[in-house]
């Protein structure tokens, strides 16, 4: 059975109000489409926790720094809808830009702190774009819970802070990163890797997991992360935008794993920018 598709906020709200009339809970999975098993894991998490699951598909122009990256972003709505039908999602909300940014739209939601550094340093305005569109999706849907991947760990912090500060009554639930069999974090951008680049790509996760193990054993971050950066360069990766050890709870920069931490990186491979992050247990 095909998944229902809503393209306007009115159609979205009509579906939700019908569910509310039946006393049903509603989950939301915001995406930019080009769905893979990482997205489907969020749908499954939603189905396990709520009665009705909405998946949103909106390639948000406000979070791309170049028209080329926006244009190159894969758009596969038909196959996305088929995957969602199989997964059991109840509604695909695929608004056009007018439904999200109508004529005269002039508001930006900006989250200080969590947006700064890492992705925020290399993608200026990206998290303003994320916070603005996610705030709208939260308010348009009125969902009880929203499901986000740990793959975009900094984004999780931004979205959680936004919902908290704007008093939006929604629970933001983090879901583990789904990886390919060789360890590469699933990402819509992976389809743009050449065969040679795809063969090399899992090395990023391997370097991160190796460094995480050493950090959990008490190693100082600075020399270890320098070694990791060099290892990626030697392996054939391009520019390493960042590789940083941060507090899992606050994103504060850490010099060693003195608390539950996250090792986060963004690295270029050809024309594709890979991001990944792994958990680091506190050094005993
Ligand atoms: N491998 C993954 N495991 C778990 N969640 C994921 C994974 N990849 C993406 N997600 C989550 O899916 C949601 C939608 O992300 P998005 O549509 O940008 O997909 P993406 O694969 O991250 O694409 P991109 O190439 O833009 O990073 C986000 O909450 C994101 O964290
Ligand atoms: C959350 C999101 C759908 C907002 O456009 C996007 O940043 C993404 O796909 O992670
Ligand atoms: N996966 C986060 C959305 C983005 O990179 O634009």
């Amino acid at each position: 059975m095909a998944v229902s598709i809503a393209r306007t906020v009115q159609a979205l709200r009509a579906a939700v109000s019908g569910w509310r009339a039946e006393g049903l809970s509603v989950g939301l999975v915001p995406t930019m489409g080009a769905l893979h098993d990482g997205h489907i894991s969020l749908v499954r998490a939603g189905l396990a926790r709520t009665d009705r699951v909405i998946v949103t598909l909106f390639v948000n122009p406000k979070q791309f720094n170049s028209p080329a990256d926006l244009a190159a972003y894969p758009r596969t709505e038909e196959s996305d809808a088929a995957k969602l039908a199989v997964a059991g999602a109840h509604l695909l909300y695929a608004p056009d830009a007018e439904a999200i940014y109508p004529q005269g739209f002039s508001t930006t939601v900006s989250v200080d702190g969590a947006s700064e550094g890492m992705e925020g340093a290399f993608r200026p305005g990206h998290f303003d774009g994320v916070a603005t569109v996610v705030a709208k999706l939260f308010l348009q849907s009125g969902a009880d819970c929203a499901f986000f991947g740990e793959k975009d760990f900094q984004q999780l912090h931004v979205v959680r802070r936004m919902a908290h500060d704007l008093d939006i009554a929604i629970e933001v639930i983090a879901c583990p990163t789904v990886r390919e069999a060789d360890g590469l974090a699933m990402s819509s951008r992976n389809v743009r890797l050449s065969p040679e680049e795809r063969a090399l790509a899992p090395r990023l996760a391997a370097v991160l997991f190796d460094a995480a193990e050493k950090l959990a054993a008490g190693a100082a971050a600075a020399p270890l992360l320098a070694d990791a950066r060099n290892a990626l360069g030697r392996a054939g990766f391009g520019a390493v935008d960042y590789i940083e050890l941060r507090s899992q709870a606050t994103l504060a920069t850490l010099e060693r794993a003195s608390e539950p931490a996250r090792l986060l990186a963004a690295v270029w491979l050809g024309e594709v920018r890979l991001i990944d992050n792994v958990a680091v247990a506190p050094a005993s």
Side-chain angles (χ1 to χ4, degrees), residues 31-32 39 60 63-64 69 73 119 123 126-127 130 151-152 155 187-189 273 275:
T31 84
M32 296 205 294
H39 299 107
N60 181 19
Q63 55 192 83
F64 288 82
D69 198 14
Y73 200 83
E119 290 300 293
R123 300 177 71 180
H126 168 69
F127 283 127
V130 170
K151 200 262 295 178
D152 298 278
Q155 172 172 269
S187 171
S188 303
R189 288 182 168 89
R273 184 173 181 271
I275 69 168

Side-chain angles (χ1 to χ4, degrees), residues 156-217:
L156 259 176
H157 278 259
V158 170
V159 166
R160 279 193 166 130
R161 171 51 62 183
M162 177 272 293
H164 176 271
D165 288 356
L166 297 185
D167 303 311
I168 301 176
I170 193 166
E171 184 180 2
V172 174
I173 292 162
C175 300
T177 299
V178 176
R179 298 182 179 278
E180 302 290 355
D182 59 15
L184 174 64
M186 290 185 183
S187 171
S188 303
R189 288 182 168 89
N190 290 351
V191 297
R192 293 167 54 195
L193 294 168
S194 69
E196 297 73 22
E197 292 165 348
R198 178 59 188 81
L200 175 56
R203 185 90 178 95
L204 171 58
V207 165
L208 292 177
F209 279 115
D210 178 63
E213 198 175 321
K214 292 170 180 164
L215 288 162

